[in-house]
Amino acid sequence: MAENKKYTIRKILAVSVWIILASGIVVLLVAAMTKKNTEQITGVDIKITGSHNNYFVNKKEVLTILEKVNGKKLEKSSVNAIDLTAMENSLVKNDWIEKAELFFDNNKVLQVKVIEREPIARIFTVSGASFYMDSSLTKLPLSDKFSARLPVFTSFPTDVRVLGKQDSALLSEIKIISEYIDSHPFWMAQIDQVDILNGGTFELIPKLGNQLIHFGDAQDCDQKFNKLLAFYKQVETNVGWNKYSVLDIQYKNQVVGVIRDAAEIKSDSLKTVEIMKSIIAEAEKNANDSTQIQLPQPPDNDDKIIESPVSDNTIPETNNRNKINSKNQSGTGKQKVTNHSLSNEKPNPDPAVKKADAKNAKSEIKREPKAVMAPKSDY
């Protein structure tokens, strides 16, 4: 009986000790948390990330948003006075912020992690307004901090912020084409802009080659670009970059080319002569200046230049207005349609044509950009 009584007393004492220890730990934790919450924050660390580090939103803007929600400077605030959820919600309302995360580290520093939206295309509407689009098809406003180098699309049919089903589908096709162009340095350098036609199809405007390229819709996008590249390698490098006014790559395993008519060839050739005359005049003007490069003087009889024969296979590059003219005139005059099958056999051009192409390539003049950058718009 005595032994049972001693065992009960020891058990009660042990339980009492554990209760006291647990209570002490809880009190210490509460005290530590209370002390931490009442202490002022020691700093703010803002990190902004994006795939290409464009930074359309900067740290100053993020800090301004946080302090507006807080109602005062963050450095003068205590830890428990910071409403992290409200700050996160306020940050993601910014058009350029996709995600935001806020938390305190062990040193009472407010960590702010911001993920910026990544634009994938620059789009111009039929009214001249302009906006960016990201991979989630979100329309983004222009920025006065940074202008991204992206594929340019023109003639988007509407300016409204909330799009209908048809316009949303068009943005999906723009995304496919834009991401393909942006992922291939050659096409980023070659494609000047992409025009959206009334039927929802696309037309490419190249930098090299004075022609329009009928692309169709975004279906089989990679195959169409591969087909166009094969045409460049097998045909245009041999017959000249300006022989065709239109290239159609919508059809499977073939490229349909419309040969430029005689009127267009003559017009482009005369403009090229005028450009060459201006270059010669500038060379004559600087001939007596020892600091300038001395160029060979042209013959006295300029008529020889004007009356030079025009090659049927190639014409020199002119400025971008020729592309717009060729687009408007592609349906006039007599045109010859050539259907090129993309095989491994390479054409064997006339040596005289190759020589003319090489000469014209050297005299190629840098052209103006086709897409006019519209001023910032709130669309």
Side-chain angles (χ1 to χ4, degrees), residues 34 36-41 66-67 69-74 76-87 104 110:
T34 303
K36 181 178 180 180
N37 289 335
T38 56
E39 290 179 340
Q40 288 188 338
I41 65 176
L66 297 179
E67 291 180 344
V69 175
N70 191 49
K72 59 182 178 180
K73 296 288 185 180
L74 292 175
K76 298 180 180 179
S77 303
S78 59
V79 174
N80 64 344
I82 302 296
D83 190 343
L84 300 181
T85 302
M87 289 182 175
F104 285 102
L110 178 60

Side-chain angles (χ1 to χ4, degrees), residues 152-163:
V152 174
F153 292 77
T154 64
S155 301
F156 190 75
T158 181
D159 293 331
V160 299
R161 188 175 183 88
V162 180
L163 300 178

Side-chain angles (χ1 to χ4, degrees), residues 84-375:
L84 300 181
T85 302
M87 289 182 175
E88 289 178 353
N89 293 335
S90 181
L91 285 174
V92 296
K93 289 180 180 179
N94 185 288
D95 291 323
W96 282 101
I97 296 178
E98 181 177 8
K99 185 178 179 181
E101 182 182 2
L102 283 75
F103 61 92
F104 285 102
D105 63 14
N106 293 331
N107 297 318
K108 298 181 289 296
V109 175
L110 178 60
Q111 298 290 335
V112 182
K113 310 292 183 182
V114 172
I115 299 178
E116 187 182 53
R117 291 188 181 276
E118 178 191 359
I120 61 172
R122 176 77 179 271
I123 300 174
F124 289 84
T125 67
V126 289
S127 66
S130 180
F131 61 91
Y132 291 111
M133 180 187 76
D134 72 353
S135 57
S136 65
L137 307 185
T138 301
K139 295 172 66 175
L140 305 172
L142 302 186
S143 171
D144 55 1
K145 303 180 188 65
F146 188 86
S147 181
R149 183 176 180 269
L150 298 167
V152 174
F153 292 77
T154 64
S155 301
F156 190 75
T158 181
D159 293 331
V160 299
R161 188 175 183 88
V162 180
L163 300 178
K165 183 177 181 180
Q166 185 175 359
D167 293 329
S168 297
L170 182 58
L171 283 184
S172 297
E173 297 209 348
I174 290 176
K175 173 187 175 182
I176 294 172
I177 297 175
S178 181
E179 288 182 334
Y180 187 90
I181 293 175
D182 190 46
S183 63
H184 293 77
F186 172 78
W187 294 119
M188 274 297 294
Q190 169 64 353
I191 303 303
D192 216 3
Q193 69 185 52
V194 181
D195 293 336
I196 303 171
L197 305 183
N198 290 333
T201 57
F202 300 92
E203 189 173 72
L204 310 182
I205 308 295
K207 287 187 175 70
L208 179 61
N210 190 19
Q211 69 254 159
L212 303 175
I213 302 172
H214 293 172
F215 190 83
D217 57 24
Q219 187 176 4
D220 300 325
C221 175
D222 55 342
Q223 296 179 21
K224 291 177 181 178
F225 276 109
N226 290 337
K227 184 168 51 179
L228 181 59
L229 181 61
F231 180 82
Y232 281 165
K233 292 179 178 179
Q234 298 179 21
V235 180
E236 291 224 299
T237 54
N238 294 309
V239 303
W241 289 90
N242 297 297
K243 180 174 181 178
Y244 300 97
S245 61
V246 175
L247 295 177
D248 196 328
I249 58 175
Q250 300 179 74
Y251 306 104
K252 188 175 182 179
N253 297 329
Q254 60 183 349
V255 174
V256 178
V258 178
I259 297 177
R260 196 177 304 277
D261 60 26
E264 289 178 299
I265 293 175
K266 183 177 180 180
S267 173
D268 286 346
S269 297
L270 290 176
K271 290 178 181 178
T272 302
V273 169
E274 293 301 320
I275 294 172
M276 293 301 298
K277 281 187 175 183
S278 65
I279 294 174
I280 292 172
E282 185 67 21
E284 288 177 340
K285 180 179 178 181
N286 298 326
N288 295 325
D289 188 350
S290 60
T291 63
Q292 302 292 332
I293 298 175
Q294 301 299 314
L295 300 176
Q297 298 300 309
D300 294 334
N301 186 4
D302 288 341
D303 292 339
K304 293 181 180 179
I305 299 176
I306 297 176
E307 296 175 356
S308 61
V310 179
S311 171
D312 291 335
N313 294 297
T314 181
I315 61 172
E317 287 280 10
T318 59
N319 60 28
N320 290 324
R321 295 185 180 91
N322 294 341
K323 285 186 177 177
I324 304 302
N325 291 335
S326 67
K327 180 177 180 180
N328 294 333
Q329 298 173 2
S330 61
T332 63
K334 295 181 179 179
Q335 297 175 325
K336 182 179 179 181
V337 178
T338 303
N339 188 335
H340 290 274
S341 176
L342 299 179
S343 63
N344 293 326
E345 297 181 3
K346 296 184 178 180
N348 186 18
D350 190 331
V353 174
K354 292 181 68 177
K355 183 176 181 181
D357 288 342
K359 181 178 179 181
N360 290 330
K362 292 181 180 180
S363 64
E364 180 175 305
I365 307 301
K366 185 176 180 180
R367 300 175 289 168
E368 301 172 354
K370 298 175 183 60
V372 178
M373 305 299 277

